[in-house]
């Protein structure tokens, strides 16, 4: 149980294009989903927190107009990197938390984005 | 403010010997504490979590961790390392808003 998927697992795009990454909770309903960014050999950096049906809350320093997050249902959240540039190349990981008092997050397998 | 310190960025052990990955935390709440493992280019897998029940927590793959409030520690141990245990390990504390505070990670290397 508690499986989270991400799609695509890797993507290569040209500079200036937009890329959408999907995060799905497969066997539970996710009240909250989180988006992280991870640079090589570093820890995860929280980008934003999204609650189903409401606007995402972005961490300080994360451009909300560049990283668009939509959490339209209890099993799906999307991250769109708009007008991507090479510095946006990174490993993006989502996680999902079920509702109630549980604070356990279940992580997706990650998406490797390379912007040329 | 909550924080997590993983005391070793790299740990090397021989296969079959014990593993100790150290984690200290600071928290003004009764914390929830987690250990996750990340294999290269993969997401994070939950090894175990502490949520104010038993102080000795058993996880998957033979790992366990002991919550010591007096030492503000939550070290991860395993009696006998396997080659497949080679990975990055993250200690995490959860704050009241359900956000995670991550440690900087410990890379475990297992020598044959």
């Amino acid at each position: 149980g508690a499986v989270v998927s991400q799609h695509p697992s890797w993507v290569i795009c040209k500079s200036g294009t937009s890329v959408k990454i999907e995060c799905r909770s497969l066997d539970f309903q996710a009240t909250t989903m989180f988006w992280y960014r991870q640079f090589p050999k570093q820890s995860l950096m929280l980008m934003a927190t999204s609650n189903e049906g409401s606007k995402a809350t972005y961490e300080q320093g994360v451009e909300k107009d560049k990283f668009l997050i939509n959490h339209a249902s209890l099993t799906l959240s999307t991250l769109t990197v708009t007008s991507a540039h090479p510095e946006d190349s990174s490993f993006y990981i989502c996680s999902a938390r079920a509702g109630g008092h549980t604070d356990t997050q279940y992580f997706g397998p990650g998406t490797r984005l390379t912007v040329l | 403010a909550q924080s997590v310190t993983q005391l070793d960025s790299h740990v090397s052990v021989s296969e079959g010997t014990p593993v100790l990955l150290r984690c200290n935390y600071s928290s003004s709440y009764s914390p929830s504490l987690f250990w996750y493992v990340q294999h290269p280019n993969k997401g994070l897998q939950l090894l175990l979590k502490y949520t104010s029940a038993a102080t000795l927590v058993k996880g998957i793959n033979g790992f366990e961790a002991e919550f010591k409030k007096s030492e503000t520690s939550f070290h991860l141990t395993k009696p006998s390392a396997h080659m497949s245990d080679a990975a990055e390990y993250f200690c995490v504390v959860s704050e009241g808003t359900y956000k995670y505070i991550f440690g900087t990670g410990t890379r475990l290397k297992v020598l044959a």
Side-chain angles (χ1 to χ4, degrees):
Chain A
V3 178
V4 176
S5 69
Q6 275 184 248
H7 178 79
S9 56
W10 59 270
V11 57
I12 302 173
C13 69
K14 292 183 179 180
S15 186
T17 60
S18 294
V19 174
K20 180 184 283 189
I21 301 170
E22 291 186 349
C23 177
R24 293 182 185 271
S25 57
L26 298 185
D27 52 2
F28 67 101
Q29 293 186 323
T31 302
T32 310
M33 287 184 167
F34 303 85
W35 287 96
Y36 296 86
R37 185 172 179 177
Q38 185 179 32
F39 292 102
K41 300 186 188 299
Q42 293 189 25
S43 189
L44 279 71
M45 181 191 79
L46 179 65
M47 300 174 65
T49 302
S50 77
N51 291 294
E52 185 264 340
S54 61
K55 289 185 179 180
T57 303
Y58 290 81
E59 295 300 300
Q60 193 172 8
V62 177
E63 298 175 61
K64 61 181 178 182
D65 294 331
K66 180 166 187 62
F67 298 100
L68 300 178
I69 291 171
N70 183 274
H71 192 164
S73 78
L74 284 171
T75 59
L76 174 64
S77 176
T78 59
L79 167 68
T80 301
V81 183
T82 62
S83 187
H85 290 283
E87 57 267 28
D88 299 323
S89 298
S90 192
F91 195 52
Y92 292 88
I93 303 177
C94 73
S95 70
R97 183 187 75 86
H101 296 292
T102 178
D103 52 5
T104 303
Q105 294 180 26
Y106 296 95
F107 287 81
T111 297
R112 171 76 58 195
L113 170 63
T114 302
V115 185
L116 302 176
Chain B
Q2 299 190 331
S3 67
V4 178
T5 302
Q6 289 184 244
L7 297 157
D8 306 294
S9 59
H10 293 82
V11 170
S12 291
V13 300
S14 297
E15 191 175 22
T17 64
V19 176
L20 170 63
L21 305 183
R22 298 183 294 166
C23 173
N24 285 93
Y25 70 92
S26 68
S27 172
S28 53
Y29 304 99
S30 295
S32 292
L33 293 159
F34 306 80
W35 275 99
Y36 284 85
V37 60
Q38 184 181 32
H39 291 276
N41 298 308
K42 302 290 185 185
L44 277 67
Q45 180 183 19
L46 178 65
L47 283 177
L48 50 82
K49 68 175 183 179
Y50 166 78
T51 54
S52 75
T55 56
L56 182 62
V57 183
K58 292 188 184 299
I60 63 171
N61 301 336
F63 285 95
E64 62 182 38
E66 186 172 8
F67 174 73
K68 292 186 176 180
K69 187 175 181 178
S70 61
E71 298 177 9
T72 61
S73 69
F74 190 58
H75 301 334
L76 181 71
T77 60
K78 183 173 180 177
S80 176
H82 291 187
M83 296 298 289
S84 60
D85 294 329
E88 187 86 18
Y89 291 79
F90 292 99
C91 182
V92 177
V93 62
S94 175
E95 62 177 18
T97 60
Y98 302 118
K99 286 186 186 179
Y100 275 6
I101 308 298
F102 279 84
T104 49
T106 298
R107 184 165 298 275
L108 175 65
K109 187 174 182 179
V110 182
L111 307 171

